[in-house]
Amino acid sequence: MTERLEDIAVAMVARGKGILAADESTGTIKKRFDTIGLESTADNRRDYREMLFRTNEAMQDCISGVILFDETLRQSAADGTRLVDLITAAGAIPGIKVDKGAKPLPGFPGETVTEGLDGLNERLQEYHELGARFAKWRGVIAIGESTPTFGAIKANAHALARYAALCQANKIVPIVEPEVLMDGEPGTHSLERCEEVTTLVLNTVFDELADARVRLEGMILKPNMVIDGKNARNASVEAVAEATIRTLKRTVPSAVPGIAFLSGGQSDEEATAHLSAMNAGHDLPWNLTFSYGRALQAAAIKAWGGKKENVAAGQRAFSHRAKMNSLAACGDWRKDLEQAA
Ligand code: 13P
């Protein structure tokens, strides 16, 4: 495996490939399993992720890397093969979520700062030994009546920059993820408001990255799309694509090799359509792809339903979604291709 940060970052956003975010914490995966009435045990979590990582077609053709949770990085498949080895055997790169979640920020009602910097250097050393070559840290910015405040944006951007510098010192590519929520409360904000907040957030993040001496060539940005809130949603695919491209062009230096979006609560097809519209007919300085959690997994988890006899159906659903997003990463997705499944 290649070891230069720049090469790993470029491989993570290779043409037609994107990242599978399978790094749900124990609490989040329980919520996903609740939707299919499945108990969240270590074995069930392993079986589910093993099903995804053994989906050869999707993994080899469409997935450049997989973000894992600590438990999964250490787990083995039912036959004893390490899950990390299944991922690398498919030609994808293992990554690891290293933040410890968004916690209330004192003095800033309703706002959070992401924790996890203490001891991070040592954790990154171990994660590298276990096979991780990139990491993820998510800062969360919610849009409300009088939020976000600049104080909270700055605290999150500073933590992201500290994290990114520590990753690079340990030969791990940082995914820098400042998420402006679409599905927070009240979720009634406009596309314009999301553009204004996302612009301020990204400007602040890149200021902090520069101050922390982070090498832009060796990182990946994972932003939200510029989109109206979940309880306001009526912006067209074209409007979302145009606003997102405009915002990224104004704020993201061209030295960054790639931008991999989160899906943030969009439906599977919306997330795909938006990505494809951004890639079709735009001349962009960075590769634009996906790093979806829900929008890559929702159909697979439903088709699987926690049952052994449905593993092939779950894999077919994952393959289809991965293929649609792979096409979108090239600007080649069309709605009628969805029916082919
Ligand atoms: P979603 O695509 O479900 O938003 O998850 C991506 C992710 O990794 C959030 O941190």
Side-chain angles (χ1 to χ4, degrees):
M1 190 184 293
T2 167
E3 293 293 343
R4 282 178 70 235
L5 288 176
E6 291 79 353
D7 296 336
I8 298 167
V10 164
M12 288 165 67
V13 294
R15 185 165 170 79
K17 290 193 176 187
I19 297 164
L20 167 63
D23 60 324
E24 298 83 3
S25 61
T26 312
T28 303
I29 196 72
K30 180 180 180 309
K31 278 193 233 158
R32 307 282 184 262
F33 282 5
D34 282 348
T35 66
I36 55 167
L38 181 69
E39 195 189 344
S40 182
T41 63
D43 279 356
N44 285 341
R45 293 192 289 272
R46 189 272 312 278
D47 288 348
Y48 171 60
R49 281 148 175 166
E50 180 176 349
M51 171 182 85
L52 297 178
F53 307 159
R54 283 194 193 275
T55 307
N56 288 332
E57 199 189 340
M59 292 294 295
Q60 289 169 5
D61 299 344
C62 311
I63 302 297
S64 59
V66 184
I67 318 175
L68 303 170
F69 187 58
D70 182 279
E71 175 188 74
T72 319
L73 187 66
R74 303 171 193 279
Q75 257 174 341
S76 292
D79 70 359
T81 314
R82 292 179 65 221
L83 293 181
V84 171
D85 293 336
L86 291 182
I87 293 168
T88 48
I93 307 169
I96 178 78
K97 184 227 301 287
V98 301
D99 69 63
K100 300 221 166 192
K103 305 287 161 61
L105 182 61
F108 293 78
E111 297 190 281
T112 61
V113 66
T114 300
E115 295 189 346
L117 288 172
D118 288 356
L120 180 57
N121 192 52
E122 291 71 23
R123 287 198 289 134
L124 287 166
Q125 284 165 19
E126 191 199 4
Y127 286 145
H128 192 280
E129 279 165 25
L130 288 169
R133 291 297 177 269
F134 70 90
K136 171 190 125 172
W137 177 293
R138 171 174 172 260
V140 183
I141 307 294
I143 299 180
E145 196 67 16
S146 49
T147 55
T149 62
F150 187 62
I153 292 173
K154 192 148 170 76
N156 278 288
H158 183 76
L160 276 165
R162 288 275 316 278
Y163 141 83
L166 280 164
C167 284
Q168 292 188 335
N170 285 288
K171 297 184 161 43
I172 287 180
V173 171
I175 292 183
V176 173
E177 180 180 3
E179 176 175 7
V180 177
L181 294 177
M182 171 191 118
D183 68 350
E185 294 301 332
T188 49
H189 58 271
S190 64
L191 182 84
E192 291 72 24
R193 177 84 175 120
C194 182
E195 178 165 347
E196 176 184 55
V197 171
T198 303
T199 300
L200 177 61
V201 167
L202 290 176
N203 279 331
T204 310
V205 165
F206 280 98
D207 280 352
E208 292 285 344
L209 290 169
D211 289 350
R213 301 182 176 172
V214 171
R215 271 213 322 281
L216 299 183
E217 293 81 356
M219 64 161 275
I220 298 295
L221 179 70
K222 176 164 174 169
N224 52 285
M225 296 181 194
V226 173
I227 191 166
D228 40 0
K230 68 165 179 204
N231 294 320
R233 284 292 296 116
N234 69 7
S236 67
V237 169
E238 291 69 29
V240 170
E242 289 304 324
T244 305
I245 293 288
R246 183 166 62 230
T247 302
L248 294 173
K249 278 189 170 173
R250 286 175 176 161
T251 55
V252 184
S254 56
V256 173
I259 298 177
F261 293 102
L262 57 94
S263 59
Q266 299 179 44
S267 73
D268 297 359
E269 214 174 296
E270 269 183 319
T272 305
H274 288 145
L275 179 63
S276 197
M278 284 186 249
N279 276 306
H282 284 104
D283 185 20
L284 302 169
W286 351 258
N287 282 1
L288 274 196
T289 189
F290 56 91
S291 175
Y292 296 161
R294 284 162 286 180
L296 263 179
Q297 296 184 56
I301 209 166
K302 191 162 169 242
W304 174 57
K307 299 193 173 78
K308 261 199 184 68
E309 61 270 27
N310 292 340
V311 164
Q315 291 182 322
R316 271 198 304 278
F318 175 45
S319 264
H320 173 68
R321 218 52 253 150
K323 181 70 196 161
M324 293 298 106
N325 284 307
S326 165
L327 289 168
C330 301
D332 291 336
W333 174 83
R334 292 188 327 269
K335 194 174 169 57
D336 59 287
L337 296 170
E338 294 286 344
Q339 269 77 58

